[in-house]
Amino acid sequence: MPIPPPDAPFDLGLPQASSLDASAPGAPAPSRLQLPPGPWANVLDGVCARFPAIGRERWRERFARGRVLDARDGRALDAAEPYKVGLEILYFREVEREPRIPFEERIVHADERLLVVDKPHFLPVAPAGRFVAETLLARLQRRCREPDLAPLHRLDAATAGLVLFSRERASRGAYQALFRERRIDKRYLALAPPLPALTFPLLRRSRIEPGEPFFLMREAAGEANSETKIEVVVREDEAWTYALRPVTGRKHQLRVHMAALGAPILGDRFYPLQERGEADEDFSQPLKLLAQSLRFVDPLDGRERWFESGLAL
């Protein structure tokens, strides 16, 4: 089956999304919220209390544009809609002046349950912070017209390579268990300075904890909670190509481990931390880290599944 370009829908003959995600062309699929117990008179008061970082007038304007919906029938809710505990609503996250990530994802494999995608550098997997529409999940939800699409694991925005998505809720738990129970082999390639004094292959085990600033991690004393298998694939004068197999999945684990060994991954502006702001992304200098392959036994039919990235390091 031919794979459509990024601006075209990808259709496997599965049920299409309703008009909910078409209410604003180019917008990501809506988020879902079940209204919790509370004293609020109307839905506007309730969402303002739930999301205090978003101003009341901003919420009022979203209601006026039909961007807050009743999940049962897709009906646009009025700001004065009476608050009902347990009511499920859909709302569309929005970010003003969201930067465009100038790289495109590529679908590697699709079947009735799974979607395997090559994520480019710099593109976040899921909405967070200043990125909502410019995320891999939102792009795929628009492209495939599947609002229930969900990533089964995450990659850092800076990391390129394979991301596995679930297309149906019924089988999602079985595939999530592969990651939770460490029954999936993940292989990364990284370009980093040579380490001629070390003997490879080697196993890096350490304790990784939150560091300073808040978005960084660090190695600390104590019982190890992270483990990475490291091999050398290519040895050149200026840099070596390393194969990294994370046994655990701590935040920034591969980047922390390589930096701790004395070979920070090329293009890494966090380890060690570079004096640059978040807005100073240099698209010409990507992190030289690639999620190169995923291999596992399918929990539903027992087949061995093996997917490889088509991206170069």
Side-chain angles (χ1 to χ4, degrees):
M1 175 179 294
I3 300 297
D7 58 351
F10 183 80
D11 186 3
L12 284 183
L14 298 180
Q16 297 293 294
S18 70
S19 60
L20 295 178
D21 61 334
S23 58
S31 298
R32 184 180 296 263
L33 172 69
Q34 186 175 63
L35 299 183
W40 304 287
N42 53 56
V43 177
L44 174 62
D45 290 344
V47 295
C48 286
R50 176 67 177 80
F51 303 104
I54 302 174
R56 187 177 184 83
E57 288 308 309
R58 184 79 177 273
W59 273 115
R60 193 186 300 278
E61 189 259 346
R62 287 188 186 183
F63 276 97
R65 289 191 291 113
R67 307 299 284 160
V68 183
L69 314 173
D70 187 324
R72 296 170 299 183
D73 55 15
R75 175 177 61 90
L77 295 174
D78 187 89
E81 181 87 16
Y83 191 92
K84 297 178 182 177
V85 174
L87 174 68
E88 282 197 305
I89 66 171
L90 302 176
Y91 64 96
F92 293 82
R93 289 192 59 197
E94 298 174 345
V95 175
E96 294 185 23
R97 297 180 295 277
E98 183 172 352
R100 165 70 182 167
I101 306 299
F103 307 105
E104 303 295 340
E105 71 282 356
R106 185 179 73 89
I107 295 176
V108 173
H109 169 84
D111 58 39
E112 67 277 10
R113 294 190 293 266
L114 298 176
L115 199 65
V116 186
V117 184
D118 255 340
K119 183 189 83 67
H121 292 290
F122 304 105
L123 184 68
V125 170
R130 62 195 180 117
F131 292 101
V132 175
E134 282 299 283
T135 62
L136 183 60
L137 175 60
R139 285 186 180 185
L140 291 171
Q141 287 175 328
R142 296 193 300 271
R143 178 178 175 184
C144 305
R145 302 185 187 277
E146 295 182 46
D148 282 340
L149 199 65
L152 292 167
H153 61 119
R154 303 291 176 94
L155 293 182
D156 295 341
T159 305
L162 296 180
V163 183
L164 192 62
F165 284 83
S166 165
R167 305 187 77 177
E168 61 173 23
R169 296 191 181 191
S171 62
R172 189 163 298 162
Y175 290 105
Q176 288 172 330
L178 292 174
F179 294 89
R180 185 173 63 252
E181 298 169 6
R182 303 178 186 176
R183 291 187 286 121
I184 187 162
D185 179 44
K186 297 174 285 184
R187 183 177 189 261
Y188 292 72
L189 294 179
L191 200 61
L195 291 169
L198 298 182
T199 300
F200 293 91
L202 66 79
L203 182 66
R204 181 70 178 185
R205 301 182 73 250
S206 67
R207 184 168 191 82
I208 293 180
E209 297 180 345
E212 292 291 340
F214 70 92
F215 54 84
L216 295 184
M217 306 298 287
R218 67 182 181 92
E219 288 194 329
E223 183 180 357
N225 61 4
S226 65
E227 187 173 315
T228 303
K229 299 175 182 177
I230 306 173
E231 299 177 71
V232 179
V233 178
V234 179
R235 300 171 188 253
E236 296 183 342
D237 292 340
E238 298 298 322
W240 287 359
T241 301
Y242 297 87
L244 311 176
R245 282 189 162 89
V247 178
T248 55
R250 298 288 169 181
K251 178 183 177 182
H252 294 177
Q253 176 177 314
L254 302 182
R255 300 162 72 175
V256 170
H257 278 174
M258 290 301 294
L261 289 173
I265 298 171
L266 299 188
D268 197 336
R269 64 189 184 95
F270 287 171
Y271 303 96
L273 182 64
Q274 305 297 311
E275 294 299 326
R276 290 195 290 170
E278 189 178 24
D280 298 326
E281 208 72 85
D282 185 349
F283 292 137
S284 69
Q285 297 185 32
L287 177 70
K288 293 298 183 177
L289 180 61
L290 173 68
Q292 191 265 338
S293 70
L294 292 169
R295 191 169 189 168
F296 58 93
V297 174
D298 195 294
L300 299 187
D301 58 26
R303 287 184 297 158
E304 183 176 49
R305 314 294 296 271
W306 188 4
F307 304 107
E308 292 190 321
S309 171
L311 299 175
L313 184 62

